[in-house]
Amino acid sequence: MLSYKCDDFFSLEAEKAGDRVEERRHFLVPKHTIVPKEKEEEILKKLHATKDMLPIILRSDPAIKKLKAKPGDIIEIERVSPTAGKSLYYRVVR
Amino acid sequence: MPRKNAESKEKPSEKKKTKQALKEKFAELRGNLPEKIWNELFEVAEREKLSEEEIKKLIEEAKKEYEQVLVEPCEAAGIVAAQSLGEPGTQLTLRTKHYAGALEVSVGSGIQRVEEIVDGRSKTKYASMTIYLNDELKHNKRKAEAFARDIVDVRTEDIARVKEDFKKKTAEIELIEERIAERNLDKEVMLSKIREAIKKGEVHKRRDKLIIQFPKELSLLKIRNEVLKIMRKRLQGISGIEKTIVTEENGEYVIKTLGTNLKAVLKRKEVDPYRTTTNDVMEISRVLGIEAGRRAIVEELHKTLTENRIKVDLRHLLLIADLLTFTGEIRGTVRTGIMRLKQSPFARAAFEETVKHLFDSALHGEREPLQGVVENLIVGLPVKVGTGRVELIMKE
């Protein structure tokens, strides 16, 4: 059986910070980036979804304040997952 | 000696390089294998010193296995997740009642806590913060304790009592000796801080007392309001932090608090703003964003369940957390939360307040598309889940 430790979240984050210098984030906050307009279609096709089916991130969300995202943009979130290592998640700005 | 050291340091990095090269070589074979499995495969390959041919075979085999355990299309993953959490939850309820008489079981953990998170309540009952300190303070117990004392929210009413005389229009504020001692505060500083809070009237100081003479034309109601304002004035600390305690954790000093105010604490330069957290998931999602809130939900649920020795697969918790944060803010599994977002009026009516929901949807002329599970159960049609979803028949 697989077993999970709660520190899984911590250790993975620490490893990542080691090999390249990045803007430091709170350990709970994953990396957010805006998906360029050209790549949007490719991602939606991969997910078999339309934009209004995606989960939402609010425009006022503290994590994307610096990105200056506009409503309708897709945000790519690089999650540190204890089951899959790194996983990508997409949210649409509203 | 130094030469030998340099050699041994070089070796692992070289190994890493060849591993990286191998990974890149087989990158197109990866398909949809997640990173963790991908890394594990190459660790095995390295340990067993597999040839390239064998690695190729290994990857193909792993891919086959992986695709077999993926969730099938149309599988009711949500219902499985709900049951997986619900069944041990029932056990936990029974056990909590059994333990009700025992002292050591705190009310802040157990089924109530799970309910609190899943329902998305805006107020956490036993809110608590874990404050990590910066490099200067984390190994210095004296400074850490001083800081812990400094952030406790102290109001005038906590350390002083007041006597009002409405005839003479005076008020007498007297410091309570013991309360000041137990909080380790300085009497003179506190008095001067109270004095700053007094806006109207003349102030006389007599030993530990402050006597306020209000102007004669001030009405009694206004005097009362003024006194209450002074009593509620925050003299020091961060609002919301009720108690603090310094503990040692992995060789550094950490402050645990009762009460929470993440935003204000993160702004203080004495804390480590990258690790300090609270157990209030709503507050995390407000201060650090919805993704941080999602992870806080998973961690808090997982922590509560493991504390009670309940094993629920983490994937169920991940799914629940994703659902709660779907709309960009945390919404609970209550009729005012995610249930309200349901398109189907039958599904909403089946959950809570049946008559109200049916009445409202009739008033607004809503349509019932009969797509979900509950709706189809109500009207007696096959549920569109699993094999019920497929409308084609296989050709031999």
Side-chain angles (χ1 to χ4, degrees), chain A residues 57-89:
Chain A
I57 187 165
L58 296 179
R59 199 169 19 158
S60 57
D61 197 276
I64 57 164
K65 226 175 218 172
K66 274 189 192 158
L67 296 178
K68 298 211 173 79
K70 287 181 281 301
D73 284 349
I74 297 179
I75 302 286
E76 185 181 85
I77 295 153
E78 224 174 87
R79 281 179 179 172
V80 183
S81 153
T83 51
K86 195 180 85 181
S87 75
L88 294 177
Y89 196 74

